[in-house]
Amino acid sequence: AIYVAYNGWSGAVNFTLPWPGAGKTWYRVMDTSNWNEGANTVVAPGSEALIGGENTVYGVNGRAVLLLIAK
């Protein structure tokens, strides 16, 4: 499963993550928020950061895109 969040507003918005599937959790592949600028904006396969499972709240900064994968 994949999850894409886009915050088109100027301020941060919290997103509550859905169920990632049986026995899976969400991992961050990309976050274009200003705190994550640089070489690690998009990570190499296998380097994804663990975010959490269903109902985890993730804040996305203004005008940013978030890409998560379930594994």
Side-chain angles (χ1 to χ4, degrees):
I2 63 170
Y3 180 83
V4 178
Y6 169 66
N7 178 3
W9 189 54
S10 60
V13 172
N14 288 332
F15 291 86
T16 301
L17 301 179
W19 183 62
K24 296 184 178 184
T25 53
W26 292 111
Y27 288 80
R28 184 178 56 235
V29 174
M30 175 185 75
D31 185 338
T32 63
S33 294
N34 57 359
W35 65 265
N36 197 38
E37 290 179 349
N40 292 324
T41 299
V42 179
V43 299
S47 307
E48 301 89 0
L50 173 64
I51 300 303
E54 182 179 17
N55 295 320
T56 297
V57 176
Y58 190 98
V60 179
N61 287 357
R63 312 259 190 308
V65 177
L66 169 69
L67 174 63
L68 304 177
I69 60 170
K71 61 179 187 172

